[in-house]
Amino acid sequence: MDSQELNYAFPQNQLQEMNMAFENGDFLQAAEKVKKSLVGINDIPLNIAVTGESGSGKSTFINVIRGLGDEDEGSAKTGVVETTVVATPYSHPRHRNVNYYDLPGFGTTRFNPNKYLELVELTQFDFFLIIASERFRDCHIQLAQAISSMGKKFYFVRSKIDADLSAFKRHRRSSYNEEQMLMEIRNNCIMGLHAGGIMCPRVFLLSCLELEKYDFYLMQETLENELPIHKRHVFLLSLPNIYSQALKSKRDYFRTQIWKRALVSAGKASIPIPGFSPDSDIDLLVNTMKEYKEAFGLDQRSLNCLAKTFDKDINDLQTVIRHKLVLKEITYDLVVNLLNRRELTAAALMVTEYAAGTVPLLGSVAAGAVAFGTAYWLLYSFLNDIADDAGRVLSRALENTG
Ligand SMILES: Nc1nc2c(ncn2[C@@H]2O[C@H](COP(=O)(O)OP(=O)(O)OP(=O)(O)O)[C@@H](O)[C@H]2O)c(=O)[nH]1
Ligand SMILES: [Mg+2]
């Protein structure tokens, strides 16, 4: 490992952040301070209201965005007959603090948006998603205006794009052009909202049957950018792993957090083993590694779901996993074994030395500093392996899906 690699693994901005944590204290005080700042991402509420006309695909969307199929446990009921009659919260299977509220569908005639919105406690929502299928209608404008006038943000989702495209394909055989069709649909929605006085509306074209296509990534990016920073990561981590950018964004986010977890877990260390004392926080490392595995969809439940979504065999998906550790159950004993590996110790010493160049106080508790480097390198390399394998599994799942 050279300094360039170290600089990549532990960028200067994170070292500076860590230096600031040491501002008024030694190693143990810094670890204590960082521990307090590690607000569980699972404590930050994110409430998203999903609304739109009956049958537009609200419940289906709520299922797919939570990585669930229509028949999975905890899924919202969907169907061709009207199904959702009261606002119902559906929490994310891994992030219970992320709730999608399935609002009742409304009819397209004699729609009274204010009366409709009285049914729900508006203030609790971070934003609204208006789901519309087929053509743009007056009720969409009225709803968008009512939501905006109450000071809430909305995003307009034009759903069932797959159905539109196949209809176009059938009817305009010789002149069919997918890009052109998508543009027409998008412009129709934007112009409709403009006509209703909504400036710069955010419009996304989606298909719940092929969520990874069309504007889903654009929607993810836009929502992420427009959410307050503390909610941004909660949202990102709750997204399904169905396109490679989501994997990359998750990996980048987790990377920025490694030094904090490593510092806290090493904060209790008093003698090196060769890094960790029995009272160091190995559980934190165990939980962090489990969290990575779930966030990247490589736990059994998520792999099953992915296999189902893309109609693939789970065993086949697993054949592309290169890092053996990724398939193992993450336990306390496994982590202790890993911490004792010689290769890890050598890398850990380099990380420690490198970090101490910017954070001199890191060495104030010598064993702690070694434990820090060990934990850092363990999490860093595991995260890389997981992200790498998750990418490979996704490519396999997407093979031959068109
Ligand atoms: N082709 C296609 N069908 C979809 C899509 N999304 C939903 N559907 C179908 O549309 C029908 C209605 O979907 P729901 O999710 O139940 O619609 P809803 O908006 O929750 O309906 P209500 O609860 O009655 O308001 C179901 O048969 C879905 O399978 C999509 O993206 N593409
Ligand atoms: Mg419904």
Side-chain angles (χ1 to χ4, degrees):
M1 197 184 353
D2 56 22
S3 60
Q4 208 179 346
E5 208 179 331
L6 275 167
N7 199 15
Y8 179 71
F10 204 165
Q12 279 302 318
N13 58 345
Q14 285 171 41
L15 280 166
Q16 296 299 351
E17 240 187 283
M18 183 169 164
N19 210 12
M20 274 158 64
F22 278 79
E23 220 165 38
N24 300 312
D26 64 7
F27 187 100
L28 297 177
Q29 285 162 325
E32 201 46 45
K33 191 157 125 190
V34 169
K35 190 174 180 177
K36 283 191 192 130
S37 79
L38 277 184
V39 183
I41 208 139
N42 287 330
D43 295 333
I44 301 169
L46 180 64
N47 294 318
I48 300 162
V50 181
T51 177
E53 67 215 78
S54 298
S56 59
K58 301 179 292 299
S59 305
T60 308
F61 173 80
I62 288 175
N63 291 338
V64 292
I65 199 158
R66 292 181 306 143
L68 297 177
D70 284 351
E71 288 166 356
D72 289 338
E73 200 188 323
S75 66
K77 270 216 180 92
T78 60
V80 282
V81 288
E82 201 168 316
T83 48
T84 310
V85 286
V86 285
T88 316
Y90 290 95
S91 61
H92 190 276
R94 276 183 293 107
H95 300 273
R96 296 281 166 201
N97 48 328
V98 177
N99 278 292
Y100 287 87
Y101 280 75
D102 195 354
L103 268 47
F106 49 80
T108 49
T109 48
R110 281 182 287 126
F111 171 59
N112 182 336
N114 293 315
K115 215 165 192 162
Y116 173 77
L117 290 173
E118 269 171 22
L119 294 174
V120 290
E121 172 63 61
L122 273 178
T123 50
Q124 66 183 316
F125 297 122
D126 290 281
F127 59 85
F128 281 74
L129 294 175
I130 301 179
I131 312 250
S133 61
E134 299 163 23
R135 65 176 65 144
F136 188 87
R137 298 174 203 275
D138 278 351
C139 58
H140 298 135
I141 298 182
Q142 291 159 3
L143 183 59
Q145 286 170 335
I147 294 171
S148 300
S149 71
M150 290 170 189
K152 289 281 168 184
K153 254 193 178 152
F154 77 88
Y155 299 89
F156 193 85
V157 174
R158 174 56 168 78
S159 71
K160 305 193 192 179
I161 289 300
D162 59 292
D164 292 274
L165 291 181
S166 46
F168 278 137
K169 239 183 233 170
R170 269 198 310 276
H171 299 300
R172 301 192 197 174
R173 249 174 241 188
S174 56
S175 62
Y176 178 76
N177 176 330
E178 182 171 308
E179 275 310 305
Q180 179 78 31
M181 299 297 124
L182 294 175
M183 192 135 74
E184 273 180 31
I185 300 173
R186 191 178 287 113
N187 285 345
N188 174 253
C189 300
I190 293 176
M191 275 153 57
L193 289 161
H194 274 171
I198 310 273
M199 293 303 130
C200 306
R202 303 279 197 265
V203 173
F204 305 105
L205 311 190
L206 297 188
S207 159
C208 287
L209 306 188
E210 302 163 313
L211 199 59
E212 72 285 2
K213 289 189 179 170
Y214 314 114
D215 290 344
F216 188 67
Y217 177 58
L218 184 67
M219 181 169 107
Q220 176 222 304
E221 262 194 335
T222 309
L223 294 180
E224 240 185 286
N225 290 336
E226 296 190 2
L227 274 168
I229 198 145
H230 63 293
K231 302 222 176 191
R232 198 172 288 176
H233 304 310
V234 183
F235 177 68
L236 169 68
L237 295 183
S238 73
L239 290 172
N241 297 304
I242 47 166
Y243 53 107
S244 57
Q245 291 93 335
L247 299 176
K248 189 178 169 302
S249 306
K250 287 184 187 184
R251 188 202 60 195
D252 291 348
Y253 167 70
F254 279 127
R255 269 195 187 154
T256 65
Q257 302 297 303
I258 293 178
W259 73 265
K260 297 183 188 169
R261 304 276 178 123
L263 188 67
V264 173
S265 76
K268 292 189 196 166
S270 51
I271 48 157
I273 68 132
F276 275 75
S277 70
D279 66 345
S280 60
D281 200 346
I282 288 173
D283 284 338
L284 178 62
L285 300 179
V286 174
N287 291 336
T288 304
M289 289 167 75
K290 279 187 185 163
E291 187 184 339
Y292 290 172
K293 216 170 138 166
E294 287 185 0
F296 286 92
L298 294 181
D299 59 306
Q300 279 305 308
R301 191 198 68 80
S302 312
L303 278 169
N304 262 323
C305 225
L306 189 74
K308 232 164 133 187
T309 304
F310 293 104
D311 204 13
K312 296 279 155 76
D313 179 61
I314 184 167
N315 296 315
D316 179 58
L317 293 184
Q318 285 178 339
T319 56
V320 298
I321 292 181
R322 284 206 188 139
H323 303 95
K324 276 194 214 128
L325 194 55
V326 168
L327 282 174
K328 284 199 175 150
E329 194 192 342
I330 309 294
T331 62
Y332 186 94
D333 291 345
L334 176 84
V335 172
V336 170
N337 268 336
L338 292 171
L339 290 168
N340 278 301
R341 279 204 188 153
R342 205 170 289 154
E343 312 90 81
L344 183 66
T345 318
L349 285 172
M350 289 181 78
V351 173
T352 309
E353 215 172 277
Y354 171 79
T358 306
V359 191
L361 280 168
L362 180 64
S364 58
V365 176
V370 179
F372 169 80
T374 312
Y376 193 96
W377 199 252
L378 174 73
L379 294 182
Y380 178 78
S381 37
F382 186 65
L383 177 61
N384 274 351
D385 293 352
I386 284 266
D388 188 43
D389 275 333
R392 240 188 296 278
V393 168
L394 177 63
S395 305
R396 186 67 157 205
L398 291 173
E399 264 172 28
N400 310 320
T401 52

